Amino acid sequence: PVFGEKVFPVWVAGLLVGGASLIQMLCDVPAGRLLDKYGYRQLLMVTTITFIVAASALLFGFSIPAYLVTLGFSIFGWLFFTPGINAYMLSQAPKGAAGKFLSFKDIFGSLGIVLSTFALPLALTLNIKISGTIILVTMILTLFAIYLSPEEKESVHKEKKVETHFYFIRRSYLHKILKTIKKLNPASSMLFVFNITAAIFYATVWFVVPIVIAREAVSGAFTVGLGIFDFSVVILGYAIGRLVDHGDKRSLVFFGLLLFAIAGMLTGLNFNWLFLVFGFLATTGEEITGLSLWSWLHTLDKDHANDGLVAGVLTLGEDLGWAIGPIFAGFAFWLIGATWTIVLASGFLFLTWFFCLIMMRTYWKNDTLVVPVRPHHPRHKA
């Protein structure tokens, strides 16, 4: 959004960033099939080269063509990069250790996000050619690492190594996911709506905060605030899992979502060190709510024949939210400014809380629920 705002009105930047996420969502399944057909390592090399092209465009200075080339090649790159890595890791990992391999990857991914937020204020002040050079060197090192990696010996589909196996490789077709939502109501509808609004909120924050930092030359704790959303889950993930395991799920959804909404609203009102406090509380409430709803949804899928589709319910909601969020944020920022854009985004969370409250009063059963392994739930969007 910061680079886009340099050459476009902020609402156009929002449309472009949101449109990029929408294209990714529509192309996920075909991308997964291409990975299966041509090989994970080979396409990982190709997709890394597209990132190299995207970075190289910035070396010629910043302009509308440079921005569009960078954004366009990045869309293609992210289509294959994350699912390619997941598929490659699952194909190489021993069956009993596949979950640990993915968790290990997620820890380093979250660490990268935290570190990048520390570097963000500096990155926004650098000449665009220097930023492009840093990205270019990083991608060349990545390409070299992939080149040194051994070729996968067999398709990841030969053996199902984790419950949500197909989620990690490619998304499921829309019509199949919608059938699953209908079959596993009301938990599926609650989780679906929750994931849309949670992603809208995070997308809004990731759109607005960098612009605020760039425009106002903000310093201090706020400049690393974006990292708090991943950092809080790294710190509290185990404790929250234990809480959901032994707590009353209905109460956890009620209070967790309410905490998410209130703390999310307060993040927009405090562009200072309090942003870290309320960001930490917001993500804590979101994780409690999401994990409780996920465990209920998993329990309703009694035969576990649709684990990949169940994960697809979660993912489709996130994808829609990450497509809608930047578009909403671009127009709202243009009309009402940074603070009220985030506050307004939190309003979606309050509406979701009210929706879930009605659904729980109507449908909730006191089933014994367990917390299954859940696909990684990012608080950022590539």
Side-chain angles (χ1 to χ4, degrees), residues 208-359:
V208 168
V209 170
I211 294 178
V212 172
I213 294 173
R215 281 188 175 184
E216 301 181 14
V218 180
S219 60
F222 170 66
T223 60
V224 298
L226 290 171
I228 198 66
F229 300 110
D230 276 81
F231 182 71
S232 61
V233 177
V234 172
I235 295 298
L236 292 179
Y238 177 77
I240 291 173
R242 295 280 294 176
L243 175 65
V244 173
D245 254 334
H246 298 96
D248 176 66
K249 307 299 186 297
R250 183 170 178 170
S251 297
L252 289 173
V253 171
F254 178 88
F255 289 109
L257 189 46
L258 187 60
L259 173 63
F260 185 23
I262 294 173
M265 178 182 66
L266 293 174
T267 58
L269 298 174
N270 294 275
F271 289 150
N272 49 46
W273 65 270
L274 285 173
F275 185 94
L276 299 179
V277 175
F278 293 123
F280 187 91
L281 292 174
T283 306
T284 300
E286 182 257 325
E287 180 72 0
I288 291 171
T289 306
L291 199 54
S292 298
L293 288 173
W294 172 256
S295 63
W296 185 22
L297 178 62
H298 190 270
T299 301
L300 293 176
D301 184 21
K302 298 185 184 300
D303 56 5
H304 298 289
N306 299 303
D307 287 318
L309 289 175
V310 168
V313 172
L314 181 152
T315 310
L316 179 62
E318 290 174 356
D319 286 347
L320 285 173
W322 284 105
I324 295 169
I327 297 172
F328 158 79
F331 279 102
F333 191 100
W334 178 54
L335 293 171
I336 57 179
T339 293
W340 291 106
T341 296
I342 295 179
V343 171
L344 192 58
S346 71
F348 292 107
L349 302 177
F350 282 103
L351 290 175
T352 304
W353 174 76
F354 186 67
F355 168 74
C356 289
L357 179 62
I358 293 173
M359 295 293 280

Side-chain angles (χ1 to χ4, degrees), residues 35-36 40 82-92 156 168-169:
L35 280 166
D36 292 334
Y40 315 129
T82 300
I85 290 172
N86 288 330
Y88 179 80
M89 291 185 69
L90 281 172
S91 69
Q92 297 290 84
V156 70
F168 286 111
I169 300 157

Side-chain angles (χ1 to χ4, degrees), residues 180-195 253 289-290 292-301 310 313-314 355-356 359-360 363-365 367 369:
T180 303
I181 292 176
K182 184 177 181 180
K183 176 183 176 183
L184 300 177
N185 267 326
S188 53
S189 292
M190 291 168 64
L191 185 61
F192 184 66
V193 172
F194 169 74
N195 282 328
V253 171
T289 306
S292 298
L293 288 173
W294 172 256
S295 63
W296 185 22
L297 178 62
H298 190 270
T299 301
L300 293 176
D301 184 21
V310 168
V313 172
L314 181 152
F355 168 74
C356 289
M359 295 293 280
M360 285 190 296
Y363 295 106
W364 189 282
K365 296 179 181 179
D367 296 330
L369 306 182

